[in-house]
Amino acid sequence: MRRQFTSEAVTIGHPDKVCDQIADAVLDELLKQDPLSRCACEVTVEPGLVHIMGEVTTEADVDYEGVARKVIRDIGYVRPEYGFDDKVPVKVSLHEQSPDIALGVDDPSGDRTNIGAGDQGMMFGYASAESECLMPLAAILSRRLAMNLTGARQNGVLPYLRPDGKSQVTVEYDGKKPVRIAAVVLSAQHDPDVSIEKLRGDLMETVIRKTLPSDMLDRNTRIYINPTGRFVQGGPAADTGLTGRKIIVDTYGGYAHHGGGAFCGKDPTKVDRTAALMLRHVAKTIVSSHVADECELQVAYAIGVAKPVSLSVCTFSQNDHLDEKLADWVVSNFDLSPAGMIKYLDLRKPIYYKTAGNGPFGWNDGVYSWENVDQDAVKNLETLC
């Protein structure tokens, strides 16, 4: 049976991603100075304002305005004609974490490392053997298009590009096997003096053909490059941005479930982020063991309670016995309490800013602990099943 699935991605200059990166840059600066900082940072951007708000409890002394301006410069919003640049006013409205929330998270003894869940909620983790990085193919290809679009701008290959942009890839499956790319959409912000013909030709050769597998493109693949014909005004000058609006882009492109909680701007005591990272690690371990071609896990927490109130494993194999066996294995081999996950993945480090632009999942470079696979755990699982 043939079916299609589509995922999208955005560049680091998208207004929502500007907010995500500022929020995680703030978090990283807090963690550099005080690894036990509590942070729930939200950001909005518009042409005339960056607003940093939320709850922070820390011993760090951070220049929040300076952090925001550096992120804006790093992204590439440095020219007044963009309608938004690093000279924009920055408003900071941060206060301490609610004592009622802290009551549920903090250990009564005052031990800042022994914590309960910071909120109720459910989180998911997923891995699939359909790509080399164990991500859904449409999600990883759309992200690579967005990253290479940004690279063509930053490296000066296409100097007329501006920071904002979007990509979209539709993969066609025969059963569960991806067999072709059915459609591609690429939208790139650009200077006003470049012709649409040049833009489309350049992006086709420089970005699309150099990113997507040639054996999955055919004469019937529909390719749309800047479909409206003009994309000069973009970024926060065109649309208000807000932290956490790209949670599907940040995870699995809609191919797997998402619990609804955003990641960016949240310190590791927040299970929205930490449990999602941990479950990605566990799902990747299970798929790496070849016990299943894909795996999705879900956990749920109650505020102030360290251990999950539920755990489920689904391998989409119609083998309930296998799923139950894997759930028991997860409980026996991984500490899913906030403190346990933080320690296991070493999450109190300033590592989050780089994940805010292009997502935390799908990397094989060994940088992120949750993307690394414990080979001993793989062998243990192979023996078990």
Side-chain angles (χ1 to χ4, degrees):
M1 182 183 72
R2 294 277 179 144
R3 64 183 178 90
Q4 295 181 351
F5 192 86
T6 301
S7 293
E8 71 161 349
V10 298
T11 67
I12 60 173
H14 186 280
D16 295 331
K17 276 288 139 199
V18 173
C19 297
D20 286 344
Q21 289 167 95
I22 292 173
D24 266 351
V26 166
L27 172 62
D28 276 5
E29 190 58 37
L30 291 167
L31 294 175
K32 283 180 189 175
Q33 299 183 38
D34 178 8
L36 297 177
S37 294
R38 298 277 175 82
C39 177
C41 178
E42 304 276 359
V43 179
T44 61
V45 294
E46 57 175 302
L49 183 68
V50 173
H51 190 183
I52 303 172
M53 66 198 96
E55 300 81 48
V56 170
T57 301
T58 184
E59 296 178 3
D61 182 13
V62 173
D63 175 8
Y64 298 105
E65 182 176 331
V67 169
R69 295 190 191 285
K70 184 178 186 307
V71 170
I72 294 167
R73 284 195 298 273
D74 289 348
I75 291 171
Y77 285 113
V78 292
R79 291 160 52 183
E81 58 265 36
Y82 291 170
F84 177 86
D85 61 25
D86 60 338
K87 306 298 190 297
V88 65
V90 179
K91 180 180 179 181
V92 180
S93 307
L94 293 170
H95 55 275
E96 287 198 348
Q97 184 180 59
S98 158
D100 292 343
I101 294 176
L103 182 66
V105 180
D106 293 336
D107 187 283
S109 69
D111 182 357
R112 293 174 69 197
T113 64
N114 188 23
I115 53 179
D119 201 353
Q120 71 173 49
M122 68 282 191
M123 299 85 211
F124 293 86
Y126 180 80
S128 168
E130 69 179 58
S131 70
E132 77 283 358
C133 58
L134 305 188
M135 287 284 287
L137 190 59
I140 201 67
L141 291 180
S142 57
R143 180 210 286 169
R144 289 173 182 169
L145 278 176
M147 291 178 66
N148 288 343
L149 180 63
T150 295
R153 172 179 62 86
Q154 293 178 329
N155 297 333
V157 175
L158 301 178
Y160 56 76
L161 292 179
R162 293 183 174 185
D164 200 357
K166 283 186 172 185
S167 61
Q168 187 173 285
V169 175
T170 301
V171 171
E172 187 170 304
Y173 292 79
D174 185 357
K176 287 195 171 185
K177 181 181 178 181
V179 293
R180 62 184 293 268
I181 295 171
V184 179
V185 182
L186 187 64
S187 297
Q189 187 189 12
H190 57 86
D191 288 343
D193 55 353
V194 62
S195 70
I196 188 61
E197 293 77 18
K198 177 174 175 55
L199 177 77
R200 286 174 174 164
D202 286 351
L203 292 181
M204 185 69 191
E205 296 305 316
T206 305
V207 179
I208 292 176
R209 292 201 183 279
K210 291 188 176 180
T211 303
L212 301 180
S214 59
D215 61 344
M216 296 193 74
L217 296 170
D218 57 42
R219 63 181 182 178
N220 294 319
T221 300
R222 291 164 293 155
I223 297 178
Y224 304 94
I225 301 174
N226 279 37
T228 66
R230 182 176 172 87
F231 185 6
V232 173
Q233 187 178 42
D239 293 295
T240 299
L242 176 65
T243 313
R245 279 205 296 216
K246 289 295 174 282
I247 56 176
I248 298 301
V249 169
D250 284 344
T251 51
Y252 308 104
Y255 200 87
H257 289 98
H258 190 288
F263 298 162
C264 296
K266 295 180 180 178
D267 74 85
T269 68
K270 312 296 190 292
V271 284
D272 279 339
R273 176 173 233 159
T274 296
L277 299 179
M278 187 69 177
L279 293 188
R280 163 65 177 171
H281 173 75
V282 177
K284 198 170 180 183
T285 300
I286 290 170
V287 173
S288 295
S289 72
H290 305 293
V291 169
D293 289 333
E294 62 177 325
C295 180
E296 183 179 76
L297 299 96
Q298 186 212 48
V299 290
Y301 291 89
I303 186 169
V305 180
K307 296 293 184 180
V309 299
S310 72
L311 166 71
S312 70
V313 177
C314 178
T315 57
F316 306 92
S317 62
Q318 308 303 314
N319 185 341
D320 293 340
H321 178 67
L322 174 62
D323 292 349
E324 291 174 11
K325 199 171 186 179
L326 287 171
D328 290 340
W329 177 82
V330 172
V331 170
S332 299
N333 287 272
F334 297 97
D335 182 353
L336 297 181
S337 69
M341 295 185 292
I342 290 169
K343 181 179 180 181
Y344 180 84
L345 295 176
D346 195 14
L347 295 180
R348 293 197 185 275
K349 300 187 298 186
I351 54 175
Y352 300 101
Y353 172 51
K354 289 185 178 180
T355 72
N358 296 300
F361 305 139
W363 308 102
N364 284 337
D365 52 11
V367 172
Y368 302 119
S369 57
W370 54 88
E371 288 292 288
N372 297 332
V373 174
D374 185 336
Q375 294 304 320
D376 289 336
V378 169
K379 291 176 183 177
N380 173 274
L381 193 52
E382 289 172 339
T383 301
L384 178 70
C385 297

